[in-house]
Amino acid sequence: MNAEEIKVGCFQVVIVLLLGVNYAIVAMSHALPIFHNYTPKFYCQVKNGTKRTYGCQELSNVTVATNQTSGLTESPDANLCFGDYQFATEFGENSVVTEWGLICEKQYLTFLGPTVYYIGVLMGAWIAGLLADRIGRLPVQAICLYTQGTMAVALYVVQNYPTFLVLRGLQGVFVQGLQNSTYILSLELLPAKARTFVALVMQIAWAIGLLLLAALSYAIPDWRILQLAISVPTAVTVLYIWIIPESPRWLIAKGKTTEADMAVERIGKYNVCCTKSRRENAKTEMSVLENTIPVKPERKSRVSCTDLKKSKTDNELKEEAANLLSSSADASEEKVQKASLKVMSENRKSKLSKSDCESISSQGENGEMEKRNVPSGSKTHRKTKSISQPVNNQRLSMKKAYDTVELRIPEKKEMLSKDEEKKCEKIEENSNNSRTKLELKEQFKSTILRRHGVAMIFQWFTSSMACYVFMTLVSPLPLNRHINFALGGALEIATYIFTYFILSRYGRRLPMSAYQSICGVICILTAATIILSHPVKTIDLTKTIMLLFGRITVMSTVFVAYLYTTEIFPTVIRGTCLGLCTVSAKIGSLCTPHVLLSGEYFPVTIPLIIIGMLCLVSGGLALILPETFDKVLPDTAEDFELLTVKRRDKTNNDNLNNETTVTTEDASEREILRTKLFSEDWVDAGNGILVNFTENKNSD
């Protein structure tokens, strides 16, 4: 059975759309720190006064005048805030910053929140990847989905900031596990031709999650109620999570063929139920098969005459077909009889063995019991009994025999002691653990896999750094922050649709290299425009346009990176490899803010040039990776190596073509000999000599 043979139907489309809901939940959770850390204008309200001073009142603002001549000092306290800071909110907005006063000397805590969350994301990517490869995609998805929903509800009732940080970190662990398992499962459920479209659906679901978050944040000004509203889609998933099947490809790769067959049959069954046309086609095909009369194929004999074959009537052909069917039915009945006799003999042997033990242990019995036991196990006795029975009795005995076989299985389990059962369970667990460890070691022994893995990790690292740079440096439009955020989501939808057409035409390798190279060039040009933007205002406009173009490019790069990583790595370690790539991306995104904040000590152009050079290097490394467009997903390291083996030189192709011509010539000669042997005119005279008698007759 091949997982690629599954035809795409409406049931699979519905599954992909339902999995897109999970992806929208992930997008909202990842983008939530933007609204958590919203800091409105604030001022210092002096006690017993009406004077308001906006901004932080730092100690550096206190001027200490020292009169060196007189030795007198003055310390004016006009800039000191002896009261409390108040926030000037428009619609009663309440964020994490306003609730716990994370401003001025506590401002560093606002950076701590996203950092803790993304550290949890980093850990979740690694842990969930290992679990997805070991226990399956669907269990990991269910665990992460409902655990992160529970964390979202718990954040609604949290009362202090340290507890908030702990819960957000744990939520990041399960949210990233949900993202990776959902993406892998959605791509593995459909064949190669539909993978690009599935990736597009997932990315559009991500952008829809951002649009939904912008609308909810505008309608709900309180961050606690917003956190609770985001958990509502998680509760809705209870209605359909049981419909989603496990990945048949992962089940086949793990050797669970029965579960894979059940999953494939389930998908095919629901696909047929969704479409009426397929039902009608199936009915017409069944009616045609029932109405057709079985016709005997013409036999090719060496001594048969063509005239006799031509003289046969239709009635004779029907009689021969009926005889063939009856002979096949008799053969099937004989097979059933043989199977029943074998089962009966085994049951009698088991009974005889028990009776022998009883006869040996019992005292006071003579040799009469031995005589009864011995012939019952002999072959002649079994044959006479089986021949004397009619056919109906044989079928009944076969059913009873199967019943006895099924009843004998638990008897063996009862004979085992509890200690032995525990030992067997421990041995099985240890064997499964050792197998998984050996599989991981064997998969990572491939040098090609490790080389391509390093190249892909570098792609993720550089793209995450460039993404953070473009997202941070792009100045927002002079509009409401909710509108700006929604416009960013709409821009992502347009970008993903355009990237879909690029990937459908040019594959994955060339677009990946092109997008990375463009990101590098834009970073370097942005650094150049920052250097030249002091006296001229038009250069600021060009810098904004370049940063927007860079943002579009880096979004396309992330789209390609997710799809390319899932397609290039084998099924057995796909979750682990995607987790490693996600870990490298989060390390890059965590390092970039510190690099940009260090612009106080050296200019921002230096980090931009460094990131641009790294993007250019990663664009060159992308050319090493194999192409995976419209190719079957690899299941093992051997299948992964086949992707690179197909890229051969022309000389090897020529040699292969020569070998194929030789084999085709041999095959043609064999076909000629076969036609002569099975034809009516040629007869084998022995010693490999073929004689054609029709030529001699014609000559006479």
Side-chain angles (χ1 to χ4, degrees):
M1 185 187 64
N2 189 0
E4 292 291 331
E5 294 177 357
I6 304 172
K7 294 182 180 179
V8 179
C10 58
F11 177 65
Q12 290 164 294
V13 174
V14 170
I15 287 173
V16 171
L17 294 176
L18 293 177
L19 291 174
V21 176
N22 298 344
Y23 224 67
I25 293 170
V26 174
M28 288 190 287
S29 181
H30 280 343
L32 201 57
I34 297 173
F35 298 97
H36 280 171
N37 293 336
Y38 169 65
T39 306
K41 293 181 179 180
F42 57 93
Y43 57 89
C44 178
Q45 182 68 46
V46 182
K47 293 181 180 179
N48 298 325
T50 59
K51 186 179 180 181
R52 294 181 179 180
T53 54
Y54 287 89
C56 294
Q57 304 299 315
E58 299 176 358
L59 294 175
S60 59
N61 293 331
V62 180
T63 58
V64 179
T66 305
N67 192 350
Q68 296 180 358
T69 56
S70 60
L72 298 175
T73 60
E74 292 181 359
S75 59
D77 53 0
N79 293 328
L80 287 174
C81 182
F82 295 101
D84 296 328
Y85 286 105
Q86 301 293 329
F87 294 92
T89 57
E90 296 178 357
F91 303 102
E93 294 176 334
N94 183 23
S95 65
V96 175
V97 175
T98 59
E99 182 166 346
W100 285 299
L102 305 180
I103 53 175
C104 297
E105 65 273 6
K106 294 182 181 179
Q107 190 176 1
Y108 70 96
L109 295 175
T110 59
F111 298 101
L112 189 60
T115 303
V116 171
Y117 177 77
Y118 284 113
I119 288 171
V121 167
L122 188 147
M123 295 173 62
W126 173 248
I127 296 169
L130 291 173
L131 291 176
D133 290 335
R134 185 169 182 178
I135 65 175
R137 283 79 163 103
L138 191 60
V140 173
Q141 178 186 350
I143 292 168
C144 295
L145 179 63
Y146 296 113
T147 309
Q148 66 86 25
T150 306
M151 296 293 175
V153 175
L155 286 167
Y156 174 73
V157 297
V158 71
Q159 295 298 324
N160 52 8
Y161 193 66
T163 308
F164 171 82
L165 292 177
V166 172
L167 290 176
R168 280 293 290 172
L170 292 175
Q171 189 182 17
V173 173
F174 295 103
V175 166
Q176 189 59 43
L178 176 63
Q179 182 181 4
N180 288 358
S181 60
T182 301
Y183 197 88
I184 293 171
L185 181 61
S186 62
L187 287 181
E188 288 181 350
L189 284 174
L190 276 84
K193 294 181 179 179
R195 285 202 301 265
T196 310
F197 181 74
V198 173
L200 175 65
V201 171
M202 291 293 110
Q203 296 301 131
I204 289 176
W206 175 281
I208 290 172
L210 298 180
L211 294 174
L212 183 62
L213 180 61
L216 289 174
S217 63
Y218 181 77
I220 303 171
D222 192 359
W223 72 272
R224 290 181 182 273
I225 303 174
L226 178 63
Q227 186 75 47
L228 192 63
I230 288 172
S231 62
V232 171
T234 304
V236 175
T237 57
V238 179
L239 301 174
Y240 63 83
I241 190 66
W242 54 274
I243 301 174
I244 299 172
E246 181 57 274
S247 170
R249 183 173 295 281
W250 179 82
L251 292 171
I252 294 169
K254 287 293 182 180
K256 300 179 181 180
T257 55
T258 55
E259 291 87 347
D261 290 331
M262 292 172 65
V264 172
E265 289 177 0
R266 184 181 176 188
I267 292 169
K269 180 181 177 181
Y270 286 119
N271 282 334
V272 172
C273 291
C274 292
T275 55
K276 295 181 180 179
S277 61
R278 292 186 180 180
R279 285 183 181 178
E280 294 176 356
N281 293 330
K283 287 181 181 178
T284 54
E285 289 177 0
M286 290 296 292
S287 63
V288 170
L289 290 173
E290 288 176 358
N291 294 325
T292 55
I293 298 171
V295 179
K296 177 185 174 182
E298 294 184 356
R299 295 182 180 178
K300 292 184 179 180
S301 60
R302 298 173 187 172
V303 191
S304 62
C305 183
T306 57
D307 296 329
L308 291 173
K309 289 184 178 180
K310 292 178 181 178
S311 64
K312 288 183 179 179
T313 60
D314 295 333
N315 294 323
E316 290 176 352
L317 292 173
K318 290 180 180 179
E319 290 177 358
E320 288 179 358
N323 293 326
L324 286 172
L325 293 172
S326 63
S327 62
S328 63
D330 294 333
S332 63
E333 289 180 358
E334 289 177 1
K335 289 181 181 179
V336 171
Q337 291 177 5
K338 289 180 182 179
S340 64
L341 290 173
K342 287 181 181 179
V343 175
M344 290 169 63
S345 63
E346 291 176 358
N347 293 326
R348 286 173 181 172
K349 282 182 182 180
S350 64
K351 291 179 181 179
L352 288 171
S353 61
K354 292 181 181 179
S355 62
D356 290 334
C357 295
E358 291 176 356
S359 63
I360 291 168
S361 61
S362 64
Q363 295 179 359
E365 292 182 353
N366 296 325
E368 294 179 357
M369 295 296 292
E370 294 178 358
K371 291 179 182 179
R372 290 179 186 175
N373 293 329
V374 172
S376 65
S378 62
K379 294 182 181 178
T380 57
H381 189 67
R382 289 199 300 271
K383 287 181 181 179
T384 54
K385 286 186 178 180
S386 64
I387 292 167
S388 63
Q389 289 177 351
V391 177
N392 295 324
N393 293 330
Q394 285 178 3
R395 290 178 181 175
L396 292 171
S397 63
M398 183 178 177
K399 292 180 180 179
K400 292 178 180 178
Y402 280 117
D403 293 336
T404 55
V405 170
E406 291 178 357
L407 291 171
R408 284 176 64 191
I409 294 170
E411 288 177 0
K412 291 181 180 179
K413 292 183 178 179
E414 290 176 357
M415 294 175 68
L416 294 173
S417 62
K418 294 181 179 179
D419 296 332
E420 291 178 352
E421 289 179 356
K422 290 180 180 179
K423 289 180 181 179
C424 292
E425 290 177 357
K426 288 181 181 179
I427 290 167
E428 288 179 357
E429 289 178 358
N430 293 326
S431 63
N432 291 327
N433 293 328
S434 61
R435 283 177 185 175
T436 53
K437 290 179 182 178
L438 290 173
E439 285 179 357
L440 289 173
K441 288 181 181 179
E442 289 178 358
Q443 297 297 327
F444 282 107
K445 282 182 181 178
S446 175
T447 56
I448 300 173
L449 180 62
R450 286 180 290 181
R451 183 171 66 248
H452 291 172
V454 171
M456 189 60 71
I457 286 171
F458 196 74
Q459 303 293 324
W460 281 73
F461 180 76
T462 55
S463 62
S464 64
M465 294 181 74
C467 182
Y468 190 89
V469 166
F470 292 128
M471 295 290 182
T472 305
L473 295 180
V474 172
S475 58
L477 297 174
L479 299 172
N480 189 7
R481 60 191 181 94
H482 303 284
I483 297 174
N484 283 326
F485 192 80
L487 289 175
L491 181 64
E492 288 194 10
I493 293 175
T495 303
Y496 296 146
I497 293 171
F498 177 75
T499 309
Y500 166 74
F501 291 107
I502 296 294
L503 295 178
S504 300
R505 183 167 183 178
Y506 299 103
R508 282 83 166 110
R509 188 166 58 92
L510 293 177
M512 189 73 183
S513 177
Y515 283 133
Q516 289 281 17
S517 301
I518 292 169
C519 286
V521 171
I522 290 172
C523 285
I524 294 171
L525 291 177
T526 303
T529 53
I530 289 172
I531 295 171
L532 301 173
S533 63
H534 294 290
V536 185
K537 293 182 179 180
T538 56
I539 295 180
D540 292 334
L541 180 61
T542 57
K543 182 182 73 174
T544 305
I545 294 171
M546 289 173 61
L547 289 173
L548 284 172
F549 186 66
R551 182 177 177 179
I552 294 170
T553 307
V554 79
M555 285 190 293
S556 302
T557 307
V558 174
F559 179 18
V560 181
Y562 260 105
L563 179 60
Y564 206 1
T565 305
T566 309
E567 288 182 344
I568 200 171
F569 290 111
T571 304
V572 183
I573 56 171
R574 184 169 293 128
T576 305
C577 294
L578 183 60
L580 282 173
C581 293
T582 309
V583 167
S584 66
K586 298 308 172 186
I587 290 172
S589 60
L590 287 172
C591 294
T592 309
H594 300 286
V595 174
L596 294 177
L597 288 174
S598 60
E600 298 177 357
Y601 304 100
F602 55 86
V604 186
T605 55
I606 295 174
L608 285 174
I609 293 171
I610 294 172
I611 293 171
M613 296 298 292
L614 291 175
C615 289
L616 290 174
V617 172
S618 63
L621 289 175
L623 298 174
I624 302 173
L625 300 172
E627 183 58 60
T628 58
F629 178 60
D630 278 347
K631 292 184 180 179
V632 179
L633 290 174
D635 293 330
T636 59
E638 295 177 355
D639 298 336
F640 172 78
E641 290 178 357
L642 289 175
L643 295 174
T644 57
V645 168
K646 290 181 180 179
R647 298 170 62 186
R648 296 174 179 174
D649 297 332
K650 292 183 179 180
T651 56
N652 293 329
N653 291 327
D654 294 336
N655 293 328
L656 289 173
N657 291 327
N658 293 328
E659 290 178 358
T660 52
T661 53
V662 173
T663 54
T664 51
E665 289 177 357
D666 294 337
S668 62
E669 291 178 358
R670 290 176 183 174
E671 288 178 357
I672 293 167
L673 291 172
R674 187 174 180 179
T675 53
K676 287 182 179 181
L677 285 171
F678 290 97
S679 65
E680 298 172 356
D681 300 331
W682 292 82
V683 178
D684 189 2
N687 295 325
I689 300 171
L690 298 174
V691 180
N692 191 354
F693 292 102
T694 57
E695 292 179 357
N696 295 325
K697 289 180 182 179
N698 294 326
S699 64
D700 294 336

